[in-house]
Amino acid sequence: MTYRHRLLSARVSISILAVATILVMAAPALAATVDIAVGAPDKVLVGQDVEVKAVLSEDGVPIEGAEVALTYQASLGGESTRVEIATGTTDETGTAVMFYEQRADDNGEMQVTYLGPGTNPVSPYVFTIAVEPGGEQLYRSESGVEIPFVNGTLVILLITGVWSLIALAAVYLVRVGREGRLEEVLSADDGSVWISVLLAIVAVITAIGMVIVFVRVPVLNTDLTDPEVYDRTQIAYIGATYPYQGFGLDEEPSAQSGDPAFDGGKVYFGYGCAACHGVLGQGAVVGPTLEDEIGSLAQFIDDIREGPRDMPAYGEATLTEADIEKIYRFLDEGG
Amino acid sequence: MDTVTNWRERLISKTTRPTRVTTYKYWLWLGFLILITGNGAFQYWKQWQDGLYVTDMRDRISWGLYISMFIFFTGVSMAGTVISAMLRAANAQWRASITRVAEFITAFALMIGAGFIIVDMGRPERIFNVYIHGRWQSPIMWDVMAITTYLTASLIYLYAPMIPDLALYRDRLAGKVGAVRSFIYRTLALDWKGSPTQFKLLGKAITIMTLIIIPIAVSVHSVVSWIFGMTLRVGWNTAIFGILFVAGAVFSGLATLIIIMAVLRKTYHWEEYITERQFKYLGYMLASLALFMIYINVSEYLTAGFKFEEGSEFAFRQLFLEEFSGMFSFYIIFGLVVPVAIVLIPKTRTIGGIVVAAVLVNLAMFIERYFLVVTGLRVPLMPYEPASYSPNFVEWSIAASGVAMFCLLLTVTVKIFPMFAVWEMTEEHDAAMALTQAEETLMHEAAIAGPRLSTEVSPDSGRPAEGGAS
């Protein structure tokens, strides 16, 4: 044992001795204990104002002017800690009334703690207040803020304005060309207006086209105020299980057309074969070609079950033999 | 002193010189550019066949050199707008000889820049889906809109003031150039006769374009920055990006203009028209922008560094101390501080010095675009190892071919289109001559009227006497 270890163990022994001494000396004081009684609702809703009453007495006599605190067990991100949410002072009847606003959806273990003026430790009163589902959050951030006049229409007006000005400039250029022709009719063949007319037409068409493109599908393109448009992504929760929405794993019937090659194509895409082996099985950077070296059906099934080289293996539970045969037919017919 | 006509004739002869005379050096240069462009085209063909896999961009760092080139070139395209439109709107009297070059730079840089977006696409044939299925909620959509508008507007803005010069070429070069060029001049000159009505209509078109092209250009560079600024990534998540990109765009646009002006001046002996005065004024603009860029950088890194939110530590470490510290310090020292010093010290404030400053600025701005893109993507969003990225040969080849194609477009353009706004320069020259004439007349009268009036005209008592003597 090193010197350091010996020093450490000596310190620990001394600490234990000190604590023990304090406990022994405090024993008489603990005997004459302060009693805490608490009156609180059993159930509350989020957002509700809650009243908690604590009555303090010492050997049946109410304590006046005692400080108490109300705490709950807060947990966030795996960390759990005790948080004080209200304090109160007892009146002549020994009653302290505390208020708090319910914010957490779970209070955990609640406690009323005696803070003083006495210095003797008093064990806190432990109770629970269940939080019922429902209620109202204090503040919930919406997906957007609607500001009057700041919307897609404004954007379209702006773009239309800019493109109209561009078109106007082009029209002036057309007039420049026309002016030249009017002045000298004789030399009509040494110049032309068509380029400027073309320019103006292109500018005007683009101006109108730009607007049409963006007005065409209002919900998709310009309606920035409709929150329905935003909620395209489903909100998922960690740990929850959701069915796969795409084709392949939960939509078997769509690959039951009766044409094995056609169904094979669907299965081929549905299980992501195309990601490595190319859309027609022609091979790509990661997966080799399946066109020529496909071999027999039995060999093909074996390969898929085993997963040659770095390819993942597909067991019976994932890909049935019938499905593999469909893929085989699909590839056999040249993808 | 030259008469106005002599001056104009000499200007026309100097301007049309590239269309009449072509040396072997030109063909060498052209061949060199075609070689580089060809290599890029070949590499792009490979990318087209195998997909973006042939680049070094992967899932975590999915934007690299291509997007940096896109930002850089759209930035360079700011040149035409700033020089041409701002100076035209401000009626600056020294701009006429450099506006045309600036406008060409705008149009070509924008084409190349937009091209890099397509190069960065894995499925370029789907570009039109952006128009068909585009959603306004996406900043990419804003970009497409802004760039389409800017390209159209800048082409008209380039074309409109060129009409009188094209007419000049049509008349002067008839029979001296081939059928193709004659056709181009005849077609594009729009029957220009130089009548007052035509000047009035043309003036209206130019005024409209001058006024709308400045906000359009600002919108383009803001929207390019918003592609980054609208994300929640550390390093990009800042409102200053719009200003940083617009200022940076003007900055690199100016630098590119200075370089190209210097090259053209030397190649075609245009010293009389592109003088030290233009370089100095552009140099002053460059220096003031560099100071502004320094301010933006201090403001950005101080606000972000003071608060040091989650992820900033990584972003600052890679930028100031580790992987990108070399690039970052080059950008700050040689891209921002040194150019200011070059312009401010009278000894280095020469054409050569300003060109050196411009080259440094362009290099630094390219590097800045690169590290902004890559460092932003490098900051891990989840506890995984930070990815690394460096462009490979394919990417460098295509990037180089972008630069080569830009030079190629300018090289060919010099041989076809008037690089000087002859009519605007003549107007400017006339105004200057008239001013000198008026001054001389005034001096003369002052000398006759005697000393009492001369002190009112000019506090310099020596000048009236000289004027009187002439």
Side-chain angles (χ1 to χ4, degrees), chain B residues 152-315:
Chain B
T152 315
S154 64
L155 282 175
I156 295 181
Y157 184 65
L158 163 72
Y159 174 56
M162 199 158 59
I163 294 172
D165 298 323
L166 285 165
L168 183 83
Y169 270 39
R170 176 196 62 196
D171 300 338
R172 291 301 175 95
L173 297 176
K176 290 177 193 162
V177 290
V180 176
R181 274 188 280 179
S182 293
F183 174 77
I184 291 175
Y185 300 146
R186 219 171 45 236
T187 311
L188 292 180
L190 286 184
D191 278 332
W192 178 263
K193 301 289 187 309
S195 72
T197 328
Q198 282 185 321
F199 265 113
K200 218 179 104 195
L201 290 168
L202 185 72
K204 278 185 180 170
I206 294 176
T207 307
I208 292 171
M209 294 317 294
T210 306
L211 294 181
I212 63 167
I213 202 155
I214 299 171
I216 291 176
V218 170
S219 82
V220 167
H221 299 286
S222 308
V223 164
V224 167
S225 83
W226 289 340
I227 291 179
F228 302 91
M230 296 288 161
T231 62
L232 276 169
R233 277 183 177 276
V234 174
W236 291 352
N237 180 17
T238 161
I240 214 165
F241 251 44
I243 304 163
L244 177 72
F245 272 51
V246 172
V250 179
F251 196 43
S252 58
L254 266 173
T256 311
L257 177 66
I258 290 173
I259 296 168
I260 290 170
M261 266 167 52
V263 172
L264 289 177
R265 179 179 189 264
K266 190 119 181 114
T267 318
Y268 295 109
H269 305 290
W270 286 340
E271 284 88 351
E272 189 184 341
Y273 310 108
I274 306 174
T275 59
E276 197 169 357
R277 184 171 165 226
Q278 270 93 13
F279 280 98
K280 270 189 186 167
Y281 286 176
L282 292 180
Y284 290 141
M285 288 172 80
L286 198 72
S288 49
L289 271 162
L291 289 171
F292 187 55
M293 294 286 288
I294 292 173
Y295 164 71
I296 295 176
N297 274 287
V298 170
S299 173
E300 163 61 14
Y301 290 115
L302 191 62
T303 23
F306 188 84
K307 293 173 290 188
F308 234 54
E309 60 168 330
E310 178 85 37
S312 281
E313 187 267 342
F314 185 92

Side-chain angles (χ1 to χ4, degrees), chain A residues 258-266 325-327 329-331 333:
Chain A
D259 177 1
F262 176 81
D263 291 346
K266 290 210 149 194
E325 197 178 333
K326 284 176 188 168
I327 297 175
R329 294 278 165 254
F330 166 71
L331 292 170
E333 291 196 4

Side-chain angles (χ1 to χ4, degrees), chain B residues 51 62 92 146 161 174 233 235 296 337 373 386 443 458:
Chain B
S62 53
R233 277 183 177 276
I296 295 176
V337 177
V373 171
M443 301 297 177
S458 161

Side-chain angles (χ1 to χ4, degrees), chain A residues 2-334:
Chain A
T2 62
Y3 171 72
R4 191 174 286 179
H5 279 115
R6 246 177 272 142
L7 194 68
L8 189 71
S9 53
R11 278 184 187 160
V12 170
S13 323
I14 290 168
S15 308
I16 291 168
L17 218 76
V19 170
T21 317
I22 290 166
L23 283 174
V24 168
M25 285 170 75
L30 285 169
T33 174
V34 173
D35 283 324
I36 306 174
V38 169
D42 295 336
K43 300 171 205 162
V44 291
L45 291 170
V46 171
Q48 193 179 321
D49 285 319
V50 186
E51 184 190 293
V52 175
K53 273 186 188 163
V55 182
L56 273 74
S57 59
E58 197 167 9
D59 302 330
V61 184
I63 310 172
E64 191 187 344
E67 300 278 337
V68 286
L70 176 67
T71 61
Y72 83 110
Q73 194 70 29
S75 55
L76 186 75
E79 292 290 320
S80 186
T81 182
R82 197 142 274 289
V83 175
E84 188 180 286
I85 44 176
T87 54
T89 313
T90 53
D91 56 11
E92 65 273 17
T93 62
T95 312
V97 184
M98 291 173 282
F99 293 99
Y100 77 94
E101 197 174 12
Q102 183 64 44
R103 293 192 182 187
D105 57 1
D106 182 12
N107 283 328
E109 185 186 271
M110 299 197 82
Q111 292 182 356
V112 171
T113 325
Y114 175 74
L115 299 174
T119 49
N120 293 338
V122 175
S123 50
Y125 182 87
V126 178
F127 65 106
T128 52
I129 298 178
V131 183
E132 295 247 280
E136 211 173 289
Q137 278 292 345
L138 294 178
Y139 181 76
R140 193 160 58 91
S141 185
E142 300 289 330
S143 62
V145 181
E146 255 183 59
I147 305 165
F149 308 115
V150 181
N151 51 29
T153 314
L154 185 73
V155 178
I156 289 176
L157 280 177
L158 183 74
I159 292 169
T160 315
V162 169
W163 277 89
S164 304
L165 283 171
I166 293 177
L168 182 65
V171 167
Y172 275 121
L173 293 184
V174 173
R175 289 182 59 192
V176 167
R178 270 190 56 192
E179 203 63 38
R181 283 180 88 82
L182 290 176
E183 271 178 23
E184 256 178 85
V185 190
L186 286 174
S187 64
D189 60 339
D190 75 352
S192 65
V193 235
W194 66 265
I195 187 82
S196 64
V197 173
L198 188 74
L199 192 76
I201 290 172
V202 168
V204 172
I205 287 177
T206 322
I208 298 167
M210 284 283 170
V211 176
I212 288 174
V213 162
F214 296 115
V215 179
R216 195 177 53 92
V217 195
V219 176
L220 289 186
N221 294 333
T222 54
D223 193 354
L224 305 178
T225 54
D226 182 8
E228 287 293 314
V229 181
Y230 292 103
D231 295 341
R232 292 186 142 196
T233 313
Q234 288 185 6
I235 298 165
Y237 297 95
I238 294 168
T241 316
Y242 294 87
Y244 175 65
Q245 293 290 325
F247 166 78
L249 301 179
D250 69 340
E251 260 189 275
E252 284 298 328
S254 62
Q256 304 286 344
S257 74
D259 177 1
F262 176 81
D263 291 346
K266 290 210 149 194
V267 179
Y268 181 79
F269 279 97
Y271 283 88
C273 310
C276 292
H277 294 286
V279 283
L280 300 172
Q282 79 274 30
V285 175
V286 177
T289 173
L290 301 174
E291 276 169 349
D292 308 322
E293 300 140 30
I294 190 162
S296 67
L297 177 61
Q299 182 61 42
F300 188 64
I301 293 173
D302 281 354
D303 279 350
I304 287 178
R305 293 278 180 252
E306 282 165 25
R309 292 197 279 278
D310 288 334
M311 181 179 139
Y314 292 81
E316 182 71 38
T318 319
L319 207 54
T320 62
E321 210 141 294
D323 280 343
I324 297 177
E325 197 178 333
K326 284 176 188 168
I327 297 175
Y328 185 81
R329 294 278 165 254
F330 166 71
L331 292 170
D332 207 32
E333 291 196 4

Side-chain angles (χ1 to χ4, degrees), chain B residues 341-406:
Chain B
I342 290 176
V343 175
L344 289 189
I345 299 167
K347 221 172 174 179
T348 51
R349 194 167 51 213
T350 56
I351 294 179
I354 289 167
V355 171
V356 168
V359 171
L360 282 177
V361 165
N362 255 349
L363 263 177
M365 284 314 291
F366 167 70
I367 287 170
E368 189 233 21
R369 299 333 195 176
Y370 177 78
F371 72 65
L372 276 186
V373 171
V374 179
T375 57
L377 287 169
R378 248 189 115 239
V379 180
L381 295 180
M382 282 188 178
Y384 52 63
E385 276 294 299
S388 66
Y389 163 80
S390 59
N392 65 14
F393 182 69
V394 174
E395 287 168 274
W396 280 120
S397 300
I398 294 176
S401 81
V403 178
M405 217 187 292
F406 176 69

